[in-house]
């Protein structure tokens, strides 16, 4: 029928004790294990959820572990608004060794005795990399240069020069220091916590800290523990993940991220038909979560001159059973 919107197809999952469960859309927090790519995680979630429409917000390198936010079906539309959230990382930096990729997966470039690095110099180096800084991303990154990923160009032997970008490191805290000998060389391992804006490379912090101290440095471990309001403690293990049991409804996610516009039944109908919604509300570019009387996310909207305008609409496909 003309003007009738078909609901998104449901995913049918075998719940452990619930029998068959219908899952249409939602956000799934995954604790990514080491040694696989973020795309590998998406592939496994697709298989577990029985749908091709799965995406993620914010890539993690194969070496890294921790929180990866994935979206299923129409909730992939929310991922755009999750990518830019601030993040927290737990990391280990090794001073005295620099690598081509600024992490443990790269070829060793230089080895320098780091035993002379004293505590005051170390703390000054950390302080210099805290706050609003200009950071040159690591060469082996997903940044595009002339239409190609920097890491792909590096693998081809092309010398890549990336431009420094403004980032903010709100916390760069030293938790522990260990002076150790590795392969006959005196190195220093640092356990740190980093709070930073999206687009910050912790690998580059390791590189720049070691470079500033004159001994080189790289990342040996990285774990993302937070993205915005989402914590890795609430994430599901990827192996044998029960998607239905861990899926967060889009309305709940939107309420945690945005201001809320609680709609009446008539406003819900009108918004679905693309009509203008006059409201007594200050102008707000949004996103504002438009929530229906029964608690579903109808869309993300803005308010201009007392009129609600859609940014993105969502099908009525919350989690159901």
């Amino acid at each position: 029928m003309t003007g009738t919107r078909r609901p998104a197809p449901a995913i049918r999952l075998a719940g452990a004790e619930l029998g068959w469960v219908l899952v249409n859309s939602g956000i799934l927090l995954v604790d990514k294990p080491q040694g696989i790519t973020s795309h590998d995680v998406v592939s496994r979630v697709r298989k577990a959820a029985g749908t091709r429409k799965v995406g993620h917000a914010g890539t993690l390198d194969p070496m890294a572990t921790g929180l990866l936010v994935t979206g299923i079906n129409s909730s992939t539309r929310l991922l755009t608004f999750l990518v830019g959230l601030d993040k927290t990382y737990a990391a280990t930096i090794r001073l005295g060794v620099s690598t081509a990729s600024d992490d443990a997966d790269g070829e060793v470039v230089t080895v320098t005795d780091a035993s002379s690095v004293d505590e005051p110099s170390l703390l000054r180096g950390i302080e210099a990399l805290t706050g609003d800084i200009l950071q040159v991303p690591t060469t082996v990154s997903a940044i595009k240069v002339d239409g190609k990923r920097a890491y792909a160009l590096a693998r081809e032997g092309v010398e890549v020069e990336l431009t420094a970008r403004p980032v903010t490191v709100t916390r760069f805290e030293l938790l522990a220091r260990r002076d150790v000998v590795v392969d006959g060389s005196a190195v220093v391992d640092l356990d740190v916590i980093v709070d930073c804006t999206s687009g910050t490379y912790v690998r580059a912090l390791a590189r720049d800290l070691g470079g500033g101290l004159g001994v080189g440095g790289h990342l040996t471990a990285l774990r993302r523990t937070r993205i915005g309001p989402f914590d890795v403690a609430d994430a599901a293990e990827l192996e044998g993940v029960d998607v239905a049991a861990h899926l967060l409804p889009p309305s709940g996610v939107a309420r945690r991220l945005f201001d809320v516009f609680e709609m009446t039944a008539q406003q819900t109908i009108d918004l679905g038909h693309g009509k203008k919604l006059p409201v007594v509300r200050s102008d707000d570019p949004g996103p504002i979560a438009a929530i229906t009387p029964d608690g579903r996310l109808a869309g993300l909207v803005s308010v201009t001159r007392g009129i609600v305008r859609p940014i993105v609409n969502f099908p009525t496909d919350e989690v159901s059973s």
Side-chain angles (χ1 to χ4, degrees):
M1 294 174 60
T2 303
T4 300
R5 183 178 60 191
R6 294 182 179 180
I11 308 166
R12 200 169 72 150
L13 298 168
E17 298 176 351
L18 301 176
W20 288 103
V21 178
L22 294 178
V23 178
N24 291 311
S25 174
I27 294 294
L28 178 69
L29 307 181
V30 177
D31 188 347
K32 186 188 93 65
Q34 191 174 33
I36 65 173
T37 66
S38 298
H39 181 72
D40 291 334
V41 174
V42 168
S43 296
R44 296 189 190 184
V45 172
R46 284 172 176 164
K47 185 175 181 180
T51 179
R52 293 288 302 170
K53 198 168 183 181
V54 177
H56 71 79
T59 300
L60 278 176
D61 295 327
M63 187 194 82
T65 67
L67 183 58
L68 190 71
V69 178
T70 65
I72 294 175
N73 282 336
S74 68
S75 287
T76 55
R77 303 178 190 184
L78 276 173
L79 298 179
T80 300
F81 304 94
L82 296 173
V83 170
L85 296 175
D86 290 354
K87 299 170 177 65
T88 297
Y89 296 90
T92 300
I93 296 170
R94 175 159 292 174
L95 300 178
V97 180
S98 62
T99 71
S101 62
D102 302 327
D103 65 16
D105 287 341
E107 181 180 351
V108 173
V109 176
T110 64
V111 178
T112 305
D113 188 324
S115 59
S116 62
V117 174
D118 57 40
E119 203 75 5
S121 298
L122 177 57
L123 294 178
R124 284 195 299 270
I126 289 175
E127 184 180 4
L129 294 169
T130 305
D132 297 328
I133 63 173
L134 287 175
Q135 183 184 73
V136 177
T138 183
T139 301
V140 185
S141 67
I143 293 173
K144 285 191 175 182
V145 179
D146 296 330
K148 296 192 70 172
R149 301 290 185 186
Y151 63 76
L153 292 171
R155 289 170 185 166
E156 295 172 6
V158 177
E159 190 171 334
V160 178
E161 291 187 11
L162 298 175
T163 304
R165 305 185 305 174
V167 299
T168 301
V169 178
T170 53
R171 176 169 63 146
F172 190 175
E173 181 180 351
L174 177 62
L175 301 180
R177 168 180 175 155
R178 296 181 298 280
D179 290 70
V180 296
V181 176
V182 178
D183 296 330
S185 299
V187 301
V188 177
D189 284 348
L190 309 172
D191 295 332
V192 300
I193 294 290
V194 175
D195 291 335
C196 56
T197 52
S198 180
T200 304
Y201 284 86
V202 183
R203 284 183 290 163
L205 290 178
R207 175 201 66 203
D208 293 343
L209 179 61
L213 292 168
V215 296
H218 73 285
L219 208 62
T220 62
L222 182 68
R223 180 167 177 77
R224 186 158 65 196
T225 59
R226 180 189 63 86
I227 299 176
F230 306 107
D231 195 280
V232 71
D234 300 318
E237 297 291 334
L238 183 60
E239 186 67 29
V241 61
D242 183 344
V243 177
H246 293 93
L247 206 62
L248 303 176
S251 58
V253 171
R255 284 182 182 276
R256 296 176 70 177
L257 295 174
F258 314 119
D259 286 339
V260 174
F261 169 40
E262 301 281 2
M263 297 192 297
T264 65
Q266 187 58 53
Q267 286 173 326
T268 300
I269 294 170
D270 291 344
L271 184 67
H273 290 163
K275 294 182 179 180
K276 294 181 179 180
L277 299 184
V279 291
V280 180
R281 188 174 181 135
S282 300
D283 284 5
D284 189 336
I288 303 167
I291 305 296
T292 66
D294 59 351
R296 292 180 291 99
L297 177 64
L300 300 178
V301 301
S302 64
V303 178
T304 304
R305 298 176 183 175
I307 300 296
V308 173
R309 303 178 188 276
I311 297 173
V312 57
N313 289 322
F314 284 80
T316 56
D317 57 356
E318 299 270 349
V319 177
S320 59
S321 61

